[in-house]
Amino acid sequence: DTAVSQTPKYLVTQMGNDKSIKCEQNLGHDTMYWYKQDSKKFLKIMFSYNNKELIINETVPNRFSPKSPDKAHLNLHINSLELGDSAVYFCASSQRGEQYFGPGTRLTVT
Amino acid sequence: AQSVAQPEDQVNVAEGNPLTVKCTYSVSGNPYLFWYVQYPNRGLQFLLKYITGDNLVKGSYGFEAEFNKSQTSFHLKKPSALVSDSALYFCAVRDTGSNTGKLIFGQGTTLQVKP
C-alpha cells in the first residue's frame, strides 16, 4: 500500500505552459507539504496545509498555487513554467512528528 | 535563525567499517531532530528521530544517532556499513518558531560504501 503517492512521476513540458502535480496520502494525516529539491539536492519547503488550511507559504513565486480539496490531497499547480522551475517536487504528510514523503515528480522545463 | 549543518558533502567508508555522518543544529528551545535517507530516484525515507529521553536513538536498518546537547550535534552512526547503505542522508530539525511542523533540512551528505 502506497502511503504518499504523486502523479505524474515525470513531467516534461515547454516554457510558458501550465501544469499540475497531484498528491494523495492514505495515512489519515492532517498536514501535507510540498518541497522542491534542486539540482544540488537541496530541499526547500514551499507550502503546507493542515486540514485544508494553508499554514506555510514560503517565498515562492505566485505562479505556484497549491490546492487542497480535502485533507488527503494536496495538488500543486504551476502557471507559466520557467526553465528555473526544473526540479524534483516532493509531497509529504505528517501527523505530529516525522514526515512521510512521496516518490517525487521530476519536472523538466525545456 | 534556526539551521542545520552537515559539514561533509560526501563520506566514504569501506564495507564492514563503522560509519558516521555528522550533523549540527541551531534552534531556540528544545530540538526535535530527524534523519532521513534518499536512495537514487526515490523519495526521502524516515530513519530515526530524537524528541526527548535517551541520547542514543535507534532507528531503521541498524542506524542510530547520538544527541549531544553541549555540542549541538546529532551524528548518524552505524557499527558496520553495507554497500546498500550508499545513499544521500539528510539531517533535519523541526522549526520551533512556529507550530506548523515545518522541517529545516541540512544540505545532505552522500554516503559511499565501497566493497
Side-chain angles (χ1 to χ4, degrees):
Chain A
D1 288 341
T2 303
V4 182
S5 59
Q6 295 178 228
T7 54
K9 190 170 174 64
Y10 299 96
L11 185 53
V12 181
T13 188
Q14 292 183 328
M15 285 174 54
N17 284 350
D18 304 338
K19 291 293 179 185
S20 291
I21 306 172
K22 295 185 176 181
C23 178
E24 177 181 1
Q25 55 98 1
N26 63 5
L27 297 167
H29 290 166
D30 290 334
T31 309
M32 296 184 72
Y33 308 81
W34 276 111
Y35 288 86
K36 179 180 180 180
Q37 186 174 45
D38 63 23
S39 58
K40 294 184 178 179
K41 306 296 184 183
F42 187 70
L43 268 170
K44 187 166 170 36
I45 190 164
M46 300 173 69
F47 302 104
S48 178
Y49 271 73
N50 182 272
N51 271 321
K52 302 194 296 176
E53 181 182 346
L54 182 66
I55 59 171
I56 296 175
N57 187 352
E58 296 289 300
T59 308
V60 177
N62 58 15
R63 298 182 293 104
F64 289 78
S65 54
K67 284 187 172 54
S68 182
D70 55 62
K71 76 173 193 176
H73 295 84
L74 180 60
N75 304 323
L76 183 65
H77 188 77
I78 316 169
N79 289 330
S80 304
L81 278 155
E82 300 178 357
L83 292 177
D85 298 333
S86 295
V88 181
Y89 293 84
F90 287 103
C91 177
S93 75
S94 73
Q95 189 67 2
R96 269 189 291 274
E98 61 270 24
Q99 295 181 15
Y100 292 86
F101 284 76
T105 296
R106 182 174 296 275
L107 172 64
T108 303
V109 183
T110 61
Chain B
Q2 302 184 76
S3 63
V4 176
Q6 294 178 242
E8 302 152 316
D9 287 338
Q10 182 157 327
V11 170
N12 297 311
V13 65
E15 188 175 31
N17 283 0
L19 70 87
T20 299
V21 182
K22 295 180 180 177
C23 172
T24 58
Y25 65 90
S26 173
V27 298
S28 52
N30 294 321
Y32 289 11
L33 295 156
F34 303 82
W35 274 102
Y36 286 83
V37 60
Q38 184 179 21
Y39 297 101
N41 299 314
R42 303 283 294 276
L44 276 71
Q45 293 179 33
F46 169 75
L47 276 180
L48 51 80
K49 67 181 177 184
Y50 173 84
I51 305 291
T52 185
D54 196 349
N55 288 346
L56 186 63
V57 179
K58 293 190 183 299
S60 308
Y61 312 122
F63 284 93
E64 57 190 26
E66 186 169 11
F67 171 67
N68 188 316
K69 188 172 183 178
S70 62
Q71 297 185 4
T72 61
S73 66
F74 189 55
H75 301 333
L76 182 70
K77 300 181 180 186
K78 188 172 182 181
S80 179
L82 301 173
V83 172
S84 57
D85 292 330
S86 299
L88 180 60
Y89 290 80
F90 289 97
C91 181
V93 64
R94 187 170 173 176
D95 180 14
T96 56
S98 68
N99 197 26
T100 62
K102 173 182 170 181
L103 290 182
I104 300 167
F105 284 87
Q107 65 269 41
T109 298
T110 298
L111 174 65
Q112 187 80 13
V113 182
K114 297 189 176 175

